[in-house]
């Protein structure tokens, strides 16, 4: 399983994301650029330049028409994927920590940082898909989660609900229009939630946390379905389609990395059996913590972005598809 190494960033990665078809991979990092790559050979397609700070987050719509990015320069930008042109810019008082499209591409949810000058807020914008440059500067709804600040958000099983992850380890569901908290799970994790990714049908989702665990949750009730406990803080978790696995990534904090060898730092991608809650394998390669993981929509490859500034694209071997929890598939007669 030799990886393709993508070198397009000067600083550590913050998020990698495939488009719906999986032919493109987008990457954001702590430098101020966003890159688009062909996922099958690692060739760089283009760069989206315009931010003036760390690009914390990105998302691409289901048609691969629009790309949205959020940055530490307090801006959220809408891009034309094909031309690389910035179509529209929203400006806030604080950094944009997370952005996500709804499944139909009609809405964007945006999470902004909590600072002394402004409360942390979740905003929902309606997107004009006919004319990308003609966008409403005002959100259709905006609300401030009470208590612990939200760091992550995504649309739930439909456009009427938003799932959030919080610094305290809480996860919650909010009504998109009213901002009312519909469901909450205060102790989903014991430390800040670092990633939130939904299953392809949005019926369940996975969260990772600094508390060294990842969990599967039901999208309607927030009930914890499965728990995967590791010995290292986790920064990202992703659900593999077509095979019963989840992928987890993390490692010792970046500020302590210089004191630690790669082996001790636990900088591997971990594969856990989704149902049996057992670790089944690891893939090493990064020279620092893994900050972000995404699995290809067809389930045949995955990408990881690390503190070392590299994106690694791995294509699964045949043994990955043959494997069963307790040994390989018997050969067909």
């Amino acid at each position: 399983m030799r990886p393709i190494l993508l070198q397009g960033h000067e600083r550590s990665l913050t998020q990698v994301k495939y488009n719906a078809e999986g032919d493109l991979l987008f990457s954001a990092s702590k430098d101020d650029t966003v890159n688009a790559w062909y996922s099958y050979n690692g060739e760089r397609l283009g760069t989206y330049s315009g931010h003036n700070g760390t690009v914390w987050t990105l998302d691409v719509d289901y048609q691969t028409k629009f790309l949205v990015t959020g940055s530490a320069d307090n801006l959220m930008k809408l891009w034309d994927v094909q031309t690389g042109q910035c179509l529209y810019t929203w400006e806030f008082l604080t950094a944009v920590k997370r952005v996500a499209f709804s499944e139909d591409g009609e809405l964007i949810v945006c999470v902004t940082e909590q600072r002394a000058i402004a409360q942390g807020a979740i905003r929902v914008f309606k997107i004009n898909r006919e004319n990308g440059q003609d966008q409403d500067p005002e959100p259709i709804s905006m609300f401030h989660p009470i208590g612990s600040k939200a760091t992550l958000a995504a649309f739930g099983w439909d456009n009427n609900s938003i799932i959030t992850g919080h610094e305290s380890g809480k996860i919650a569901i909010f009504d998109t229009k009213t901002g009312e908290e519909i469901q909450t799970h205060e102790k989903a994790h014991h430390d800040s939630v670092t990633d939130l990714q939904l299953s392809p049908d949005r019926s369940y989702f996975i969260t990772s946390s600094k508390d060294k665990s990842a969990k599967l949750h039901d999208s309607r009730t927030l009930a914890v379905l499965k728990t995967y406990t590791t010995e290292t803080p986790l920064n990202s978790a992703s659900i593999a389609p077509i095979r019963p696995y989840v992928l987890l990534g993390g490692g010792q904090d970046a500020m302590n990395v210089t004191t630690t060898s790669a082996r001790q730092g636990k900088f591997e991608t971990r594969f856990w059996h989704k149902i049996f809650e057992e670790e089944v394998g690891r893939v090493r390669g990064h020279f620092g913590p893994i900050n972000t993981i995404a699995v290809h929509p067809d389930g045949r490859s995955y990408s990881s972005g690390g503190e070392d500034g590299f994106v690694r694209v791995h294509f699964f071997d045949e043994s990955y598809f043959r494997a069963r929890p307790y040994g390989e598939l018997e050969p067909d007669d």
Side-chain angles (χ1 to χ4, degrees):
M1 197 163 77
R2 291 194 61 160
I4 300 173
L5 206 60
L6 309 185
Q7 296 176 267
H9 293 286
E10 296 173 358
R11 298 185 62 196
S12 52
L13 273 292
T14 53
Q15 194 171 5
V16 293
K17 188 102 181 178
Y18 287 96
N19 65 341
E21 288 78 26
D23 59 329
L24 298 180
L25 176 69
F26 297 87
S27 61
S29 84
K30 289 183 179 176
D31 59 24
D32 53 11
T33 57
V34 175
N35 287 323
W37 316 81
Y38 287 113
S39 63
Y40 60 91
N41 64 4
E43 183 185 337
R44 181 151 61 170
L45 174 65
T47 299
Y48 302 86
S49 300
H51 282 294
N52 293 309
T54 295
V55 182
W56 287 117
T57 175
L58 60 82
D59 198 12
V60 59
D61 71 353
Y62 74 102
Q63 291 182 324
T64 320
K65 181 179 179 181
F66 295 132
L67 173 76
V68 62
T69 56
S71 170
D73 61 8
N74 305 350
L75 302 178
M76 180 172 80
K77 288 180 177 285
L78 188 71
W79 308 82
D80 183 308
V81 170
Q82 194 170 1
T83 65
Q85 178 189 2
C86 179
L87 301 173
Y88 196 83
T89 300
W90 291 268
E91 186 165 6
F92 310 105
L93 290 172
T94 57
V96 181
K97 298 296 284 186
R98 193 72 162 197
V99 293
F101 276 104
S102 59
E103 196 169 17
D104 60 7
E106 297 286 333
L107 303 173
I108 290 175
V109 62
C110 155
V111 180
T112 52
E113 182 80 289
Q114 182 172 322
R115 286 282 179 264
I117 54 171
Q119 274 184 286
I122 294 173
R123 295 174 176 85
V124 180
F125 292 90
K126 180 98 169 100
I127 297 303
N128 179 354
R129 298 190 62 81
E130 301 305 314
N131 181 358
Q133 293 180 314
D134 180 24
Q135 303 296 339
D136 190 341
E138 295 303 318
I140 58 170
S141 69
M142 171 178 167
F143 49 94
H144 306 281
I146 307 299
S148 172
K149 74 175 181 186
T151 53
L152 303 164
F155 286 95
W157 64 91
D158 61 17
N159 287 3
N160 298 319
S161 62
I162 292 171
I163 301 171
T164 59
H166 297 252
E167 210 171 48
S168 65
K170 164 180 137 173
I171 57 174
I173 300 175
F174 290 89
D175 184 284
T176 302
K177 294 185 180 70
T178 66
E180 179 191 351
E181 194 170 86
I182 305 167
Q183 293 272 2
T184 184
H185 189 336
E186 291 288 345
K187 294 295 176 192
H189 286 283
H190 302 299
D191 204 339
S192 59
V193 182
T194 52
D195 198 9
L196 188 161
Q197 296 191 28
L198 285 108
S199 64
D201 66 357
R202 296 181 178 254
S203 63
Y204 62 99
F205 63 96
I206 191 166
T207 55
S208 62
S209 171
K210 293 288 185 194
D211 70 2
K212 306 182 180 181
S213 73
K215 297 185 180 186
L216 279 188
H217 310 265
D218 184 280
S219 292
R220 292 177 183 271
T221 65
L222 300 184
V224 175
L225 306 173
K226 299 289 176 182
T227 301
Y228 317 100
T229 305
T230 69
E231 70 281 7
T232 185
L234 294 176
N235 297 327
S236 189
S238 192
I239 299 165
I242 79 171
R243 303 294 292 134
Y245 301 120
V246 295
L247 282 66
L248 315 180
Q252 183 191 27
D253 281 342
M255 59 181 159
N256 302 322
V257 164
T258 51
T259 65
T260 312
S261 73
R263 183 182 292 273
Q264 287 175 309
K266 310 285 191 295
F267 308 140
E268 303 117 329
T269 300
R270 295 142 185 275
F271 288 74
W272 283 68
H273 196 283
K274 185 164 67 176
I275 309 302
F276 298 120
E277 301 174 315
E278 292 178 355
E279 188 172 351
V280 295
R282 296 186 184 186
V283 175
R284 60 168 59 99
H286 283 287
F287 296 103
I290 295 171
N291 293 338
T292 175
I293 290 179
V295 182
H296 193 288
D298 71 6
R300 299 192 170 274
S301 62
Y302 82 94
S303 297
S304 57
E307 193 71 25
D308 54 11
F310 295 112
V311 179
R312 300 173 77 89
V313 181
H314 295 262
F315 295 89
F316 295 125
D317 295 332
E318 188 57 38
S319 58
Y320 171 85
F321 302 101
R322 294 176 56 82
R324 289 289 183 264
Y326 304 107
E328 276 209 358
L329 263 174
E330 290 298 316
D332 295 328
D333 293 330

